[in-house]
Amino acid sequence: MLKSRIIPCLDVNDGRVVKGVKFQNLRDAGDPVELSFHYEDQGADELVLLDVTATRQDRIAMLETVEKVRRKLGIPLTVGGGIGSVEDAGRLLNAGADKVSINSAAVRNPDLIHEMSVRFGAQCTVVAIDAKMTDGMFQVLTRSGTTAETLDAVKWSATAQKLGAGEILLTSFDRDGTRSGYDLPMLNAVTEACSLPVIASGGADSVQHMVEAFEHGAHAVLAASIFHDGNMTVAEVKKQLAAKGIEVRA
């Protein structure tokens, strides 16, 4: 049984970490390089670095920032934002990413998942799914939440697995930045539809929220606001999770 992972998320815009609510009203949260090392020191198992405007600006995620982070970072790093091809993914991996996260490009061209998996391995291929509840289904969103697709997140997660994805990063648009807890119905539906490791994202405000996510099938939890705002450290989260019976990495 794999131990549960705690993953701080760094959303980056114009070289700075930002945080908003439902992908909007972004506020400054610090320097991505400094925060990366800070969270590693706290005991983070992995980091996710997402360039939140890369896709809309038709450019690849910040290679220079990835290189700076990788020079000292010792934990796995997932990078996403603006990846449109296998070549883009390769540039990020060469810059120091351990995994590459794709969302909009995968929806436009599902074969990209297979191509990345064949070239770099499933372990490097993360499919990010942003979704919200619409008319009784979890509707996939692309381009940083600005475009609604005629695609169901639950079915899409199963398709991504068949195409060769190694992991799903599942973000609830409705819960993002609200600190109202993870979207448990969506998480439960996706973890039942596919057997890939699923990272729950969007809405964390407490250790109890994380416990609930793990109880509903998450293999890892992503959090931003509670760490950026200094409400809790990763070490404190892990200590409390362990006390509640969740197996976490030392």
Side-chain angles (χ1 to χ4, degrees), residues 3-8 43-47 75 210 214 219-223 227 233-235 237-238 241 246 248-249:
K3 293 185 178 180
S4 302
R5 290 170 288 152
I6 311 302
I7 307 176
D45 297 307
E46 300 182 17
L47 285 177
I75 57 177
M210 296 179 181
F214 289 127
H219 295 74
V221 291
L222 203 75
F227 295 139
T233 66
V234 177
V237 165
K238 284 189 169 185
L241 284 172
I246 302 296
V248 295
R249 300 180 183 183

mmCIF file with all atom_site columns, all heavy atoms in Angstrom, residues 3-8 43-47 75 210 214 219-223 227 233-235 237-238 241 246 248-249:
data_model
loop_
_atom_site.group_PDB
_atom_site.id
_atom_site.type_symbol
_atom_site.label_atom_id
_atom_site.label_alt_id
_atom_site.label_comp_id
_atom_site.label_asym_id
_atom_site.label_entity_id
_atom_site.label_seq_id
_atom_site.pdbx_PDB_ins_code
_atom_site.Cartn_x
_atom_site.Cartn_y
_atom_site.Cartn_z
_atom_site.occupancy
_atom_site.B_iso_or_equiv
_atom_site.pdbx_formal_charge
_atom_site.auth_seq_id
_atom_site.auth_comp_id
_atom_site.auth_asym_id
_atom_site.auth_atom_id
_atom_site.pdbx_PDB_model_num
ATOM 1   N N   . LYS A 1 3   ? 2.008  4.994  0.529  1.00 0.00 ? 3   LYS A N   1
ATOM 2   C CA  . LYS A 1 3   ? 1.657  5.997  1.521  1.00 0.00 ? 3   LYS A CA  1
ATOM 3   C C   . LYS A 1 3   ? 1.104  7.248  0.838  1.00 0.00 ? 3   LYS A C   1
ATOM 4   O O   . LYS A 1 3   ? 1.455  7.573  -0.289 1.00 0.00 ? 3   LYS A O   1
ATOM 5   C CB  . LYS A 1 3   ? 2.884  6.336  2.372  1.00 0.00 ? 3   LYS A CB  1
ATOM 6   C CG  . LYS A 1 3   ? 3.339  5.169  3.252  1.00 0.00 ? 3   LYS A CG  1
ATOM 7   C CD  . LYS A 1 3   ? 4.485  5.568  4.168  1.00 0.00 ? 3   LYS A CD  1
ATOM 8   C CE  . LYS A 1 3   ? 4.872  4.399  5.067  1.00 0.00 ? 3   LYS A CE  1
ATOM 9   N NZ  . LYS A 1 3   ? 5.982  4.754  5.978  1.00 0.00 ? 3   LYS A NZ  1
ATOM 10  N N   . SER A 1 4   ? 0.231  7.941  1.538  1.00 0.00 ? 4   SER A N   1
ATOM 11  C CA  . SER A 1 4   ? -0.425 9.125  0.995  1.00 0.00 ? 4   SER A CA  1
ATOM 12  C C   . SER A 1 4   ? 0.571  10.269 0.861  1.00 0.00 ? 4   SER A C   1
ATOM 13  O O   . SER A 1 4   ? 1.436  10.463 1.720  1.00 0.00 ? 4   SER A O   1
ATOM 14  C CB  . SER A 1 4   ? -1.580 9.534  1.906  1.00 0.00 ? 4   SER A CB  1
ATOM 15  O OG  . SER A 1 4   ? -2.514 8.469  2.030  1.00 0.00 ? 4   SER A OG  1
ATOM 16  N N   . ARG A 1 5   ? 0.416  11.033 -0.226 1.00 0.00 ? 5   ARG A N   1
ATOM 17  C CA  . ARG A 1 5   ? 1.349  12.124 -0.508 1.00 0.00 ? 5   ARG A CA  1
ATOM 18  C C   . ARG A 1 5   ? 0.709  13.489 -0.265 1.00 0.00 ? 5   ARG A C   1
ATOM 19  O O   . ARG A 1 5   ? -0.473 13.687 -0.543 1.00 0.00 ? 5   ARG A O   1
ATOM 20  C CB  . ARG A 1 5   ? 1.811  12.055 -1.966 1.00 0.00 ? 5   ARG A CB  1
ATOM 21  C CG  . ARG A 1 5   ? 2.717  10.884 -2.293 1.00 0.00 ? 5   ARG A CG  1
ATOM 22  C CD  . ARG A 1 5   ? 2.922  10.769 -3.791 1.00 0.00 ? 5   ARG A CD  1
ATOM 23  N NE  . ARG A 1 5   ? 1.713  10.288 -4.465 1.00 0.00 ? 5   ARG A NE  1
ATOM 24  C CZ  . ARG A 1 5   ? 1.399  10.572 -5.726 1.00 0.00 ? 5   ARG A CZ  1
ATOM 25  N NH1 . ARG A 1 5   ? 2.181  11.362 -6.455 1.00 0.00 ? 5   ARG A NH1 1
ATOM 26  N NH2 . ARG A 1 5   ? 0.299  10.081 -6.271 1.00 0.00 ? 5   ARG A NH2 1
ATOM 27  N N   . ILE A 1 6   ? 1.526  14.420 0.237  1.00 0.00 ? 6   ILE A N   1
ATOM 28  C CA  . ILE A 1 6   ? 1.106  15.803 0.445  1.00 0.00 ? 6   ILE A CA  1
ATOM 29  C C   . ILE A 1 6   ? 1.885  16.663 -0.537 1.00 0.00 ? 6   ILE A C   1
ATOM 30  O O   . ILE A 1 6   ? 3.128  16.695 -0.511 1.00 0.00 ? 6   ILE A O   1
ATOM 31  C CB  . ILE A 1 6   ? 1.375  16.279 1.886  1.00 0.00 ? 6   ILE A CB  1
ATOM 32  C CG1 . ILE A 1 6   ? 0.847  15.249 2.895  1.00 0.00 ? 6   ILE A CG1 1
ATOM 33  C CG2 . ILE A 1 6   ? 0.758  17.654 2.123  1.00 0.00 ? 6   ILE A CG2 1
ATOM 34  C CD1 . ILE A 1 6   ? -0.631 14.962 2.773  1.00 0.00 ? 6   ILE A CD1 1
ATOM 35  N N   . ILE A 1 7   ? 1.160  17.394 -1.403 1.00 0.00 ? 7   ILE A N   1
ATOM 36  C CA  . ILE A 1 7   ? 1.802  18.106 -2.502 1.00 0.00 ? 7   ILE A CA  1
ATOM 37  C C   . ILE A 1 7   ? 1.385  19.580 -2.519 1.00 0.00 ? 7   ILE A C   1
ATOM 38  O O   . ILE A 1 7   ? 0.256  19.896 -2.895 1.00 0.00 ? 7   ILE A O   1
ATOM 39  C CB  . ILE A 1 7   ? 1.429  17.462 -3.854 1.00 0.00 ? 7   ILE A CB  1
ATOM 40  C CG1 . ILE A 1 7   ? 1.725  15.950 -3.838 1.00 0.00 ? 7   ILE A CG1 1
ATOM 41  C CG2 . ILE A 1 7   ? 2.174  18.147 -4.989 1.00 0.00 ? 7   ILE A CG2 1
ATOM 42  C CD1 . ILE A 1 7   ? 1.284  15.235 -5.110 1.00 0.00 ? 7   ILE A CD1 1
ATOM 43  N N   . PRO A 1 8   ? 2.260  20.483 -2.135 1.00 0.00 ? 8   PRO A N   1
ATOM 44  C CA  . PRO A 1 8   ? 1.967  21.909 -2.327 1.00 0.00 ? 8   PRO A CA  1
ATOM 45  C C   . PRO A 1 8   ? 1.931  22.245 -3.812 1.00 0.00 ? 8   PRO A C   1
ATOM 46  O O   . PRO A 1 8   ? 2.687  21.676 -4.608 1.00 0.00 ? 8   PRO A O   1
ATOM 47  C CB  . PRO A 1 8   ? 3.143  22.621 -1.634 1.00 0.00 ? 8   PRO A CB  1
ATOM 48  C CG  . PRO A 1 8   ? 3.686  21.600 -0.676 1.00 0.00 ? 8   PRO A CG  1
ATOM 49  C CD  . PRO A 1 8   ? 3.516  20.288 -1.375 1.00 0.00 ? 8   PRO A CD  1
ATOM 50  N N   . GLY A 1 43  ? 8.902  19.178 4.398  1.00 0.00 ? 43  GLY A N   1
ATOM 51  C CA  . GLY A 1 43  ? 8.585  17.762 4.251  1.00 0.00 ? 43  GLY A CA  1
ATOM 52  C C   . GLY A 1 43  ? 7.636  17.425 3.124  1.00 0.00 ? 43  GLY A C   1
ATOM 53  O O   . GLY A 1 43  ? 7.065  16.319 3.109  1.00 0.00 ? 43  GLY A O   1
ATOM 54  N N   . ALA A 1 44  ? 7.449  18.332 2.166  1.00 0.00 ? 44  ALA A N   1
ATOM 55  C CA  . ALA A 1 44  ? 6.586  18.044 1.019  1.00 0.00 ? 44  ALA A CA  1
ATOM 56  C C   . ALA A 1 44  ? 7.093  16.806 0.287  1.00 0.00 ? 44  ALA A C   1
ATOM 57  O O   . ALA A 1 44  ? 8.300  16.609 0.139  1.00 0.00 ? 44  ALA A O   1
ATOM 58  C CB  . ALA A 1 44  ? 6.542  19.235 0.071  1.00 0.00 ? 44  ALA A CB  1
ATOM 59  N N   . ASP A 1 45  ? 6.175  15.965 -0.174 1.00 0.00 ? 45  ASP A N   1
ATOM 60  C CA  . ASP A 1 45  ? 6.555  14.751 -0.886 1.00 0.00 ? 45  ASP A CA  1
ATOM 61  C C   . ASP A 1 45  ? 6.872  15.048 -2.346 1.00 0.00 ? 45  ASP A C   1
ATOM 62  O O   . ASP A 1 45  ? 7.739  14.412 -2.944 1.00 0.00 ? 45  ASP A O   1
ATOM 63  C CB  . ASP A 1 45  ? 5.419  13.726 -0.811 1.00 0.00 ? 45  ASP A CB  1
ATOM 64  C CG  . ASP A 1 45  ? 5.150  13.297 0.615  1.00 0.00 ? 45  ASP A CG  1
ATOM 65  O OD1 . ASP A 1 45  ? 6.104  12.883 1.296  1.00 0.00 ? 45  ASP A OD1 1
ATOM 66  O OD2 . ASP A 1 45  ? 3.991  13.400 1.057  1.00 0.00 ? 45  ASP A OD2 1
ATOM 67  N N   . GLU A 1 46  ? 6.148  15.996 -2.908 1.00 0.00 ? 46  GLU A N   1
ATOM 68  C CA  . GLU A 1 46  ? 6.342  16.421 -4.287 1.00 0.00 ? 46  GLU A CA  1
ATOM 69  C C   . GLU A 1 46  ? 5.912  17.876 -4.388 1.00 0.00 ? 46  GLU A C   1
ATOM 70  O O   . GLU A 1 46  ? 5.333  18.427 -3.456 1.00 0.00 ? 46  GLU A O   1
ATOM 71  C CB  . GLU A 1 46  ? 5.494  15.574 -5.260 1.00 0.00 ? 46  GLU A CB  1
ATOM 72  C CG  . GLU A 1 46  ? 5.797  14.092 -5.240 1.00 0.00 ? 46  GLU A CG  1
ATOM 73  C CD  . GLU A 1 46  ? 4.954  13.313 -6.249 1.00 0.00 ? 46  GLU A CD  1
ATOM 74  O OE1 . GLU A 1 46  ? 4.385  13.945 -7.172 1.00 0.00 ? 46  GLU A OE1 1
ATOM 75  O OE2 . GLU A 1 46  ? 4.876  12.082 -6.117 1.00 0.00 ? 46  GLU A OE2 1
ATOM 76  N N   . LEU A 1 47  ? 6.193  18.475 -5.537 1.00 0.00 ? 47  LEU A N   1
ATOM 77  C CA  . LEU A 1 47  ? 5.700  19.814 -5.846 1.00 0.00 ? 47  LEU A CA  1
ATOM 78  C C   . LEU A 1 47  ? 5.040  19.806 -7.215 1.00 0.00 ? 47  LEU A C   1
ATOM 79  O O   . LEU A 1 47  ? 5.480  19.087 -8.113 1.00 0.00 ? 47  LEU A O   1
ATOM 80  C CB  . LEU A 1 47  ? 6.833  20.848 -5.851 1.00 0.00 ? 47  LEU A CB  1
ATOM 81  C CG  . LEU A 1 47  ? 7.407  21.304 -4.519 1.00 0.00 ? 47  LEU A CG  1
ATOM 82  C CD1 . LEU A 1 47  ? 8.562  22.270 -4.774 1.00 0.00 ? 47  LEU A CD1 1
ATOM 83  C CD2 . LEU A 1 47  ? 6.352  21.985 -3.665 1.00 0.00 ? 47  LEU A CD2 1
ATOM 84  N N   . ILE A 1 75  ? 13.066 16.699 -4.383 1.00 0.00 ? 75  ILE A N   1
ATOM 85  C CA  . ILE A 1 75  ? 11.831 15.918 -4.455 1.00 0.00 ? 75  ILE A CA  1
ATOM 86  C C   . ILE A 1 75  ? 11.239 15.993 -5.865 1.00 0.00 ? 75  ILE A C   1
ATOM 87  O O   . ILE A 1 75  ? 11.599 16.882 -6.640 1.00 0.00 ? 75  ILE A O   1
ATOM 88  C CB  . ILE A 1 75  ? 10.799 16.407 -3.413 1.00 0.00 ? 75  ILE A CB  1
ATOM 89  C CG1 . ILE A 1 75  ? 10.500 17.898 -3.610 1.00 0.00 ? 75  ILE A CG1 1
ATOM 90  C CG2 . ILE A 1 75  ? 11.300 16.132 -1.995 1.00 0.00 ? 75  ILE A CG2 1
ATOM 91  C CD1 . ILE A 1 75  ? 9.436  18.444 -2.659 1.00 0.00 ? 75  ILE A CD1 1
ATOM 92  N N   . MET A 1 210 ? -8.458 16.803 4.061  1.00 0.00 ? 210 MET A N   1
ATOM 93  C CA  . MET A 1 210 ? -7.528 15.876 3.429  1.00 0.00 ? 210 MET A CA  1
ATOM 94  C C   . MET A 1 210 ? -7.870 14.432 3.789  1.00 0.00 ? 210 MET A C   1
ATOM 95  O O   . MET A 1 210 ? -7.827 13.538 2.943  1.00 0.00 ? 210 MET A O   1
ATOM 96  C CB  . MET A 1 210 ? -6.102 16.211 3.842  1.00 0.00 ? 210 MET A CB  1
ATOM 97  C CG  . MET A 1 210 ? -5.656 17.580 3.363  1.00 0.00 ? 210 MET A CG  1
ATOM 98  S SD  . MET A 1 210 ? -3.961 17.975 3.878  1.00 0.00 ? 210 MET A SD  1
ATOM 99  C CE  . MET A 1 210 ? -3.772 19.621 3.192  1.00 0.00 ? 210 MET A CE  1
ATOM 100 N N   . PHE A 1 214 ? -8.706 11.347 1.146  1.00 0.00 ? 214 PHE A N   1
ATOM 101 C CA  . PHE A 1 214 ? -8.079 10.026 1.143  1.00 0.00 ? 214 PHE A CA  1
ATOM 102 C C   . PHE A 1 214 ? -9.127 8.932  1.326  1.00 0.00 ? 214 PHE A C   1
ATOM 103 O O   . PHE A 1 214 ? -9.047 7.866  0.706  1.00 0.00 ? 214 PHE A O   1
ATOM 104 C CB  . PHE A 1 214 ? -7.013 9.936  2.232  1.00 0.00 ? 214 PHE A CB  1
ATOM 105 C CG  . PHE A 1 214 ? -5.778 10.746 1.946  1.00 0.00 ? 214 PHE A CG  1
ATOM 106 C CD1 . PHE A 1 214 ? -5.296 11.667 2.872  1.00 0.00 ? 214 PHE A CD1 1
ATOM 107 C CD2 . PHE A 1 214 ? -5.090 10.594 0.750  1.00 0.00 ? 214 PHE A CD2 1
ATOM 108 C CE1 . PHE A 1 214 ? -4.154 12.421 2.606  1.00 0.00 ? 214 PHE A CE1 1
ATOM 109 C CE2 . PHE A 1 214 ? -3.945 11.334 0.471  1.00 0.00 ? 214 PHE A CE2 1
ATOM 110 C CZ  . PHE A 1 214 ? -3.482 12.247 1.406  1.00 0.00 ? 214 PHE A CZ  1
ATOM 111 N N   . HIS A 1 219 ? -5.048 9.391  -3.856 1.00 0.00 ? 219 HIS A N   1
ATOM 112 C CA  . HIS A 1 219 ? -3.727 8.867  -3.519 1.00 0.00 ? 219 HIS A CA  1
ATOM 113 C C   . HIS A 1 219 ? -2.810 9.975  -2.999 1.00 0.00 ? 219 HIS A C   1
ATOM 114 O O   . HIS A 1 219 ? -1.810 9.701  -2.341 1.00 0.00 ? 219 HIS A O   1
ATOM 115 C CB  . HIS A 1 219 ? -3.080 8.229  -4.748 1.00 0.00 ? 219 HIS A CB  1
ATOM 116 C CG  . HIS A 1 219 ? -3.803 7.016  -5.240 1.00 0.00 ? 219 HIS A CG  1
ATOM 117 N ND1 . HIS A 1 219 ? -4.996 7.086  -5.920 1.00 0.00 ? 219 HIS A ND1 1
ATOM 118 C CD2 . HIS A 1 219 ? -3.504 5.694  -5.134 1.00 0.00 ? 219 HIS A CD2 1
ATOM 119 C CE1 . HIS A 1 219 ? -5.399 5.851  -6.225 1.00 0.00 ? 219 HIS A CE1 1
ATOM 120 N NE2 . HIS A 1 219 ? -4.520 5.004  -5.765 1.00 0.00 ? 219 HIS A NE2 1
ATOM 121 N N   . ALA A 1 220 ? -3.174 11.214 -3.325 1.00 0.00 ? 220 ALA A N   1
ATOM 122 C CA  . ALA A 1 220 ? -2.411 12.383 -2.885 1.00 0.00 ? 220 ALA A CA  1
ATOM 123 C C   . ALA A 1 220 ? -3.360 13.566 -2.810 1.00 0.00 ? 220 ALA A C   1
ATOM 124 O O   . ALA A 1 220 ? -4.410 13.579 -3.452 1.00 0.00 ? 220 ALA A O   1
ATOM 125 C CB  . ALA A 1 220 ? -1.272 12.684 -3.850 1.00 0.00 ? 220 ALA A CB  1
ATOM 126 N N   . VAL A 1 221 ? -2.987 14.559 -2.013 1.00 0.00 ? 221 VAL A N   1
ATOM 127 C CA  . VAL A 1 221 ? -3.780 15.786 -1.944 1.00 0.00 ? 221 VAL A CA  1
ATOM 128 C C   . VAL A 1 221 ? -2.892 16.967 -2.294 1.00 0.00 ? 221 VAL A C   1
ATOM 129 O O   . VAL A 1 221 ? -1.741 17.062 -1.857 1.00 0.00 ? 221 VAL A O   1
ATOM 130 C CB  . VAL A 1 221 ? -4.425 16.000 -0.558 1.00 0.00 ? 221 VAL A CB  1
ATOM 131 C CG1 . VAL A 1 221 ? -5.522 14.974 -0.312 1.00 0.00 ? 221 VAL A CG1 1
ATOM 132 C CG2 . VAL A 1 221 ? -3.394 15.966 0.556  1.00 0.00 ? 221 VAL A CG2 1
ATOM 133 N N   . LEU A 1 222 ? -3.451 17.847 -3.091 1.00 0.00 ? 222 LEU A N   1
ATOM 134 C CA  . LEU A 1 222 ? -2.782 19.088 -3.479 1.00 0.00 ? 222 LEU A CA  1
ATOM 135 C C   . LEU A 1 222 ? -3.370 20.212 -2.638 1.00 0.00 ? 222 LEU A C   1
ATOM 136 O O   . LEU A 1 222 ? -4.578 20.233 -2.389 1.00 0.00 ? 222 LEU A O   1
ATOM 137 C CB  . LEU A 1 222 ? -3.047 19.360 -4.960 1.00 0.00 ? 222 LEU A CB  1
ATOM 138 C CG  . LEU A 1 222 ? -2.065 20.254 -5.708 1.00 0.00 ? 222 LEU A CG  1
ATOM 139 C CD1 . LEU A 1 222 ? -0.790 19.481 -5.996 1.00 0.00 ? 222 LEU A CD1 1
ATOM 140 C CD2 . LEU A 1 222 ? -2.681 20.706 -7.025 1.00 0.00 ? 222 LEU A CD2 1
ATOM 141 N N   . ALA A 1 223 ? -2.549 21.127 -2.210 1.00 0.00 ? 223 ALA A N   1
ATOM 142 C CA  . ALA A 1 223 ? -3.052 22.271 -1.450 1.00 0.00 ? 223 ALA A CA  1
ATOM 143 C C   . ALA A 1 223 ? -2.170 23.478 -1.736 1.00 0.00 ? 223 ALA A C   1
ATOM 144 O O   . ALA A 1 223 ? -0.982 23.344 -2.028 1.00 0.00 ? 223 ALA A O   1
ATOM 145 C CB  . ALA A 1 223 ? -3.066 21.976 0.050  1.00 0.00 ? 223 ALA A CB  1
ATOM 146 N N   . PHE A 1 227 ? -1.027 26.548 2.770  1.00 0.00 ? 227 PHE A N   1
ATOM 147 C CA  . PHE A 1 227 ? 0.420  26.609 2.901  1.00 0.00 ? 227 PHE A CA  1
ATOM 148 C C   . PHE A 1 227 ? 0.936  28.016 2.598  1.00 0.00 ? 227 PHE A C   1
ATOM 149 O O   . PHE A 1 227 ? 1.760  28.560 3.338  1.00 0.00 ? 227 PHE A O   1
ATOM 150 C CB  . PHE A 1 227 ? 1.077  25.586 1.969  1.00 0.00 ? 227 PHE A CB  1
ATOM 151 C CG  . PHE A 1 227 ? 0.778  24.159 2.316  1.00 0.00 ? 227 PHE A CG  1
ATOM 152 C CD1 . PHE A 1 227 ? 0.517  23.224 1.326  1.00 0.00 ? 227 PHE A CD1 1
ATOM 153 C CD2 . PHE A 1 227 ? 0.754  23.732 3.639  1.00 0.00 ? 227 PHE A CD2 1
ATOM 154 C CE1 . PHE A 1 227 ? 0.249  21.905 1.638  1.00 0.00 ? 227 PHE A CE1 1
ATOM 155 C CE2 . PHE A 1 227 ? 0.490  22.409 3.971  1.00 0.00 ? 227 PHE A CE2 1
ATOM 156 C CZ  . PHE A 1 227 ? 0.223  21.491 2.964  1.00 0.00 ? 227 PHE A CZ  1
ATOM 157 N N   . THR A 1 233 ? 1.935  24.150 8.221  1.00 0.00 ? 233 THR A N   1
ATOM 158 C CA  . THR A 1 233 ? 3.093  23.682 7.464  1.00 0.00 ? 233 THR A CA  1
ATOM 159 C C   . THR A 1 233 ? 2.812  22.261 6.988  1.00 0.00 ? 233 THR A C   1
ATOM 160 O O   . THR A 1 233 ? 1.918  21.576 7.501  1.00 0.00 ? 233 THR A O   1
ATOM 161 C CB  . THR A 1 233 ? 4.369  23.679 8.323  1.00 0.00 ? 233 THR A CB  1
ATOM 162 O OG1 . THR A 1 233 ? 4.221  22.691 9.370  1.00 0.00 ? 233 THR A OG1 1
ATOM 163 C CG2 . THR A 1 233 ? 4.631  25.046 8.929  1.00 0.00 ? 233 THR A CG2 1
ATOM 164 N N   . VAL A 1 234 ? 3.593  21.814 6.022  1.00 0.00 ? 234 VAL A N   1
ATOM 165 C CA  . VAL A 1 234 ? 3.453  20.442 5.556  1.00 0.00 ? 234 VAL A CA  1
ATOM 166 C C   . VAL A 1 234 ? 3.719  19.472 6.698  1.00 0.00 ? 234 VAL A C   1
ATOM 167 O O   . VAL A 1 234 ? 3.013  18.468 6.862  1.00 0.00 ? 234 VAL A O   1
ATOM 168 C CB  . VAL A 1 234 ? 4.417  20.165 4.387  1.00 0.00 ? 234 VAL A CB  1
ATOM 169 C CG1 . VAL A 1 234 ? 4.320  18.709 3.951  1.00 0.00 ? 234 VAL A CG1 1
ATOM 170 C CG2 . VAL A 1 234 ? 4.133  21.092 3.217  1.00 0.00 ? 234 VAL A CG2 1
ATOM 171 N N   . ALA A 1 235 ? 4.717  19.771 7.516  1.00 0.00 ? 235 ALA A N   1
ATOM 172 C CA  . ALA A 1 235 ? 5.049  18.898 8.643  1.00 0.00 ? 235 ALA A CA  1
ATOM 173 C C   . ALA A 1 235 ? 3.879  18.789 9.621  1.00 0.00 ? 235 ALA A C   1
ATOM 174 O O   . ALA A 1 235 ? 3.571  17.693 10.123 1.00 0.00 ? 235 ALA A O   1
ATOM 175 C CB  . ALA A 1 235 ? 6.286  19.423 9.365  1.00 0.00 ? 235 ALA A CB  1
ATOM 176 N N   . VAL A 1 237 ? 0.698  19.197 8.913  1.00 0.00 ? 237 VAL A N   1
ATOM 177 C CA  . VAL A 1 237 ? -0.339 18.424 8.240  1.00 0.00 ? 237 VAL A CA  1
ATOM 178 C C   . VAL A 1 237 ? -0.050 16.924 8.356  1.00 0.00 ? 237 VAL A C   1
ATOM 179 O O   . VAL A 1 237 ? -0.925 16.122 8.698  1.00 0.00 ? 237 VAL A O   1
ATOM 180 C CB  . VAL A 1 237 ? -0.447 18.840 6.761  1.00 0.00 ? 237 VAL A CB  1
ATOM 181 C CG1 . VAL A 1 237 ? -1.246 17.815 5.956  1.00 0.00 ? 237 VAL A CG1 1
ATOM 182 C CG2 . VAL A 1 237 ? -1.098 20.210 6.645  1.00 0.00 ? 237 VAL A CG2 1
ATOM 183 N N   . LYS A 1 238 ? 1.190  16.551 8.088  1.00 0.00 ? 238 LYS A N   1
ATOM 184 C CA  . LYS A 1 238 ? 1.549  15.135 8.141  1.00 0.00 ? 238 LYS A CA  1
ATOM 185 C C   . LYS A 1 238 ? 1.393  14.560 9.548  1.00 0.00 ? 238 LYS A C   1
ATOM 186 O O   . LYS A 1 238 ? 0.909  13.430 9.728  1.00 0.00 ? 238 LYS A O   1
ATOM 187 C CB  . LYS A 1 238 ? 2.988  14.944 7.654  1.00 0.00 ? 238 LYS A CB  1
ATOM 188 C CG  . LYS A 1 238 ? 3.151  15.042 6.149  1.00 0.00 ? 238 LYS A CG  1
ATOM 189 C CD  . LYS A 1 238 ? 4.555  14.628 5.736  1.00 0.00 ? 238 LYS A CD  1
ATOM 190 C CE  . LYS A 1 238 ? 4.652  14.452 4.240  1.00 0.00 ? 238 LYS A CE  1
ATOM 191 N NZ  . LYS A 1 238 ? 5.977  13.943 3.837  1.00 0.00 ? 238 LYS A NZ  1
ATOM 192 N N   . LEU A 1 241 ? -2.318 14.118 10.161 1.00 0.00 ? 241 LEU A N   1
ATOM 193 C CA  . LEU A 1 241 ? -2.849 13.017 9.359  1.00 0.00 ? 241 LEU A CA  1
ATOM 194 C C   . LEU A 1 241 ? -2.462 11.665 9.967  1.00 0.00 ? 241 LEU A C   1
ATOM 195 O O   . LEU A 1 241 ? -3.292 10.751 10.053 1.00 0.00 ? 241 LEU A O   1
ATOM 196 C CB  . LEU A 1 241 ? -2.325 13.098 7.928  1.00 0.00 ? 241 LEU A CB  1
ATOM 197 C CG  . LEU A 1 241 ? -2.963 14.154 7.022  1.00 0.00 ? 241 LEU A CG  1
ATOM 198 C CD1 . LEU A 1 241 ? -2.199 14.239 5.697  1.00 0.00 ? 241 LEU A CD1 1
ATOM 199 C CD2 . LEU A 1 241 ? -4.426 13.830 6.753  1.00 0.00 ? 241 LEU A CD2 1
ATOM 200 N N   . ILE A 1 246 ? -3.889 8.091  8.890  1.00 0.00 ? 246 ILE A N   1
ATOM 201 C CA  . ILE A 1 246 ? -3.504 8.119  7.483  1.00 0.00 ? 246 ILE A CA  1
ATOM 202 C C   . ILE A 1 246 ? -2.000 7.861  7.364  1.00 0.00 ? 246 ILE A C   1
ATOM 203 O O   . ILE A 1 246 ? -1.199 8.552  8.001  1.00 0.00 ? 246 ILE A O   1
ATOM 204 C CB  . ILE A 1 246 ? -3.841 9.494  6.836  1.00 0.00 ? 246 ILE A CB  1
ATOM 205 C CG1 . ILE A 1 246 ? -5.330 9.796  6.973  1.00 0.00 ? 246 ILE A CG1 1
ATOM 206 C CG2 . ILE A 1 246 ? -3.408 9.488  5.373  1.00 0.00 ? 246 ILE A CG2 1
ATOM 207 C CD1 . ILE A 1 246 ? -6.240 8.848  6.239  1.00 0.00 ? 246 ILE A CD1 1
ATOM 208 N N   . VAL A 1 248 ? 1.376  8.332  6.046  1.00 0.00 ? 248 VAL A N   1
ATOM 209 C CA  . VAL A 1 248 ? 2.074  9.361  5.284  1.00 0.00 ? 248 VAL A CA  1
ATOM 210 C C   . VAL A 1 248 ? 3.570  9.070  5.262  1.00 0.00 ? 248 VAL A C   1
ATOM 211 O O   . VAL A 1 248 ? 4.077  8.313  6.096  1.00 0.00 ? 248 VAL A O   1
ATOM 212 C CB  . VAL A 1 248 ? 1.832  10.780 5.865  1.00 0.00 ? 248 VAL A CB  1
ATOM 213 C CG1 . VAL A 1 248 ? 0.382  11.170 5.724  1.00 0.00 ? 248 VAL A CG1 1
ATOM 214 C CG2 . VAL A 1 248 ? 2.263  10.841 7.337  1.00 0.00 ? 248 VAL A CG2 1
ATOM 215 N N   . ARG A 1 249 ? 4.254  9.667  4.327  1.00 0.00 ? 249 ARG A N   1
ATOM 216 C CA  . ARG A 1 249 ? 5.692  9.492  4.238  1.00 0.00 ? 249 ARG A CA  1
ATOM 217 C C   . ARG A 1 249 ? 6.391  10.326 5.300  1.00 0.00 ? 249 ARG A C   1
ATOM 218 O O   . ARG A 1 249 ? 5.957  11.419 5.623  1.00 0.00 ? 249 ARG A O   1
ATOM 219 C CB  . ARG A 1 249 ? 6.186  9.895  2.850  1.00 0.00 ? 249 ARG A CB  1
ATOM 220 C CG  . ARG A 1 249 ? 5.556  9.085  1.725  1.00 0.00 ? 249 ARG A CG  1
ATOM 221 C CD  . ARG A 1 249 ? 6.051  9.507  0.363  1.00 0.00 ? 249 ARG A CD  1
ATOM 222 N NE  . ARG A 1 249 ? 5.388  8.767  -0.698 1.00 0.00 ? 249 ARG A NE  1
ATOM 223 C CZ  . ARG A 1 249 ? 5.666  8.890  -1.984 1.00 0.00 ? 249 ARG A CZ  1
ATOM 224 N NH1 . ARG A 1 249 ? 6.604  9.732  -2.380 1.00 0.00 ? 249 ARG A NH1 1
ATOM 225 N NH2 . ARG A 1 249 ? 5.032  8.170  -2.883 1.00 0.00 ? 249 ARG A NH2 1
#
